[in-house]
Amino acid sequence: MKKKMNTATIRQSKGKEPLVMITAYDALFARLFEESADILLVGDSLNMSFAGKKDTVSATLEQMIYHTEAVCRGASNTFVICDMPFGTYPNKEEALKNAMEVYRRTDADAVKIEGGVEKAETIAYLHANGIAVCGHIGLLPQAVRGEGGYRVKGKSSEEALALMRDAKAVEEAGAFCMVVEGVKSEIAEEIARNVSIPVIGIGAGKGVDGQVLVFSDMLGLFEEFTPKFVKRYMSGAELVKEAVKQYANEVKSRLFPSEEHTY
Ligand code: KIV
């Protein structure tokens, strides 16, 4: 059986083998991912792929706690990070209250917070109070309404400098790792070279210390749109639809249940 990682071994993985992170939202899939994933992220992306909402902004703490509990139950031998949803960390006190709620009610090993320089004080406060924090810089899905859309970061030298400042601030605040999302690959690589904690990329190229993908994207279950950085490792939606169609046909034609499936 694999050895469960912790914040120390995650930090120590820097410069060695890339970290494998994947999102998980329930016990069923978490159990299936456990063998191959180093880290499971209960991302607020569940608000889109599972709850059918248009973005992550309306996810609630209750929702995240419910899903995190389930993931921890399904994959008790894997490091689990719970995404702090929008509006639950507007200041350091509120952030600590809500992160403690996550720790109290789930077995999550860490929380994730979106933001760089502007969230450094909050990250430092959580860290000082015993909460393990994964940072998240670059394209910030929770800022989508404020920014008017999703946009790749690091295209100008000003943006590249700002990203580097964000990365340094998150590192110095005490985060044990950080997600870098939607960033030009050369900038993401430069960030990874300049910080001592693992940088886990999503849409950030291969010059970083690990990768994360949203599971419903990489399994081809979420069909609405596929960003350029997503590789589909299976055609999940087609397989599911085909199986359900076959079931429906067999029910209608009374082929199912056969003798084999009857008491
Ligand atoms: O919510 C999520 O799934 C995430 C990943 C995109 C990193 O934050």
Side-chain angles (χ1 to χ4, degrees):
M1 208 206 291
K2 77 171 192 201
K3 199 164 174 349
K4 179 176 172 172
M5 297 196 90
N6 55 49
T7 54
T9 54
I10 290 171
R11 279 174 177 275
Q12 287 153 14
S13 74
K14 178 102 183 166
K16 298 179 185 148
E17 241 191 359
L19 288 164
V20 178
M21 187 194 275
I22 182 169
T23 66
Y25 310 139
D26 60 29
L28 178 71
F29 278 96
R31 201 170 287 129
L32 297 177
F33 302 157
E34 179 149 55
E35 188 181 325
S36 306
D38 295 315
I39 303 172
L40 293 177
L41 169 65
V42 188
D44 58 0
S45 52
L46 62 82
N47 203 44
M48 297 170 77
S49 52
F50 262 51
K53 302 280 183 67
K54 65 172 184 167
D55 56 32
T56 64
V57 175
S58 57
T60 65
L61 193 65
E62 276 310 309
Q63 217 178 327
M64 297 310 298
I65 286 174
Y66 170 83
H67 287 278
T68 302
E69 254 199 299
V71 168
C72 291
R73 266 198 300 272
S76 56
N77 195 39
T78 305
F79 192 92
V80 174
I81 301 178
C82 170
D83 227 352
M84 296 298 290
F86 179 71
T88 60
Y89 52 100
N91 54 56
K92 61 182 187 179
E93 290 81 13
E94 192 85 352
L96 183 61
K97 179 171 92 43
N98 288 323
M100 280 181 165
E101 189 72 2
V102 170
Y103 265 18
R104 245 193 307 272
R105 292 174 54 196
T106 78
D107 285 330
D109 298 287
V111 299
K112 178 165 79 60
I113 280 186
E114 291 187 13
V117 172
E118 77 284 9
K119 289 296 173 208
E121 194 188 350
T122 296
I123 295 173
Y125 193 61
L126 294 191
H127 178 60
N129 282 281
I131 308 279
V133 181
C134 167
H136 184 155
I137 64 165
L139 186 159
L140 304 180
Q142 290 177 11
V144 63
R145 296 191 198 175
E147 293 198 352
Y150 300 100
R151 204 174 50 77
V152 173
K153 298 288 168 74
K155 287 185 172 171
S156 66
S157 50
E158 292 76 35
E159 263 186 16
L161 273 174
L163 283 167
M164 189 58 79
R165 274 196 295 272
D166 283 339
K168 291 304 261 182
V170 167
E171 176 195 24
E172 281 158 21
F176 68 95
C177 73
M178 75 179 85
V179 167
V180 172
E181 177 167 1
V183 167
K184 295 286 288 176
S185 61
E186 54 277 22
I187 309 302
E189 190 170 347
E190 185 72 6
I191 290 171
R193 258 202 305 269
N194 280 278
V195 295
S196 60
I197 56 175
V199 169
I200 301 174
I202 174 162
K206 60 176 165 189
V208 289
D209 307 301
Q211 298 292 330
V212 53
L213 279 179
V214 171
F215 92 86
S216 39
D217 288 340
M218 56 95 70
L219 297 184
L221 290 164
F222 188 65
E223 286 185 303
E224 265 94 293
F225 78 108
T226 310
K228 177 179 161 69
F229 63 81
V230 171
K231 178 167 177 184
R232 280 192 177 177
Y233 286 85
M234 86 183 226
S235 303
E238 275 162 44
L239 290 171
V240 169
K241 282 192 278 191
E242 195 42 52
V244 176
K245 188 191 276 177
Q246 200 178 331
Y247 164 65
N249 287 341
E250 290 190 8
V251 169
K252 287 194 189 297
S253 61
R254 300 191 186 279
L255 262 174
F256 176 84
S258 62
E259 274 306 304
E260 188 196 347
H261 302 108
T262 303
Y263 293 114

